[in-house]
Amino acid sequence: MENRLRELRERDSLTQEDLAARVGVSRQTIISLERGKYNPSLTLAYKLARVFGLRIEDVFIFENGKGDE
């Protein structure tokens, strides 16, 4: 699953640490998400989307059939 976290975070001038603090996770979690190494829980995806004032679908792009399970 791809995401726009880095783009959105930079747009809003947030550091990885800032974003992590806002959603209650570690900076390492944000790094893993941005690199596509980790898919968030629904709760975390919702929190992240709310930080940017967007819907989950506007932040996370699910590409069906590309090995996502």
Side-chain angles (χ1 to χ4, degrees):
M1 179 179 337
E2 293 185 30
N3 67 68
R4 299 176 53 215
L5 284 176
R6 183 174 182 173
E7 168 195 341
L8 295 167
R9 181 176 58 74
E10 290 176 348
R11 176 197 76 183
D12 291 356
S13 300
L14 295 171
T15 65
Q16 290 171 332
E17 188 74 32
D18 294 334
L19 182 56
R22 286 190 184 193
V23 297
V25 298
S26 69
R27 179 175 166 264
Q28 187 60 43
T29 297
I30 300 300
I31 291 168
S32 294
L33 285 165
E34 287 184 356
R35 291 182 178 168
K37 304 283 185 190
Y38 172 71
N39 289 328
S41 67
L42 182 57
T43 302
L44 179 54
Y46 181 75
K47 288 178 181 180
L48 288 162
R50 286 197 60 185
V51 166
F52 301 113
L54 299 170
R55 299 174 304 154
I56 291 172
E57 305 92 307
D58 297 327
V59 179
F60 296 92
I61 300 96
F62 179 74
E63 296 181 4
N64 197 11
K66 296 213 174 186
D68 294 320
E69 299 186 31

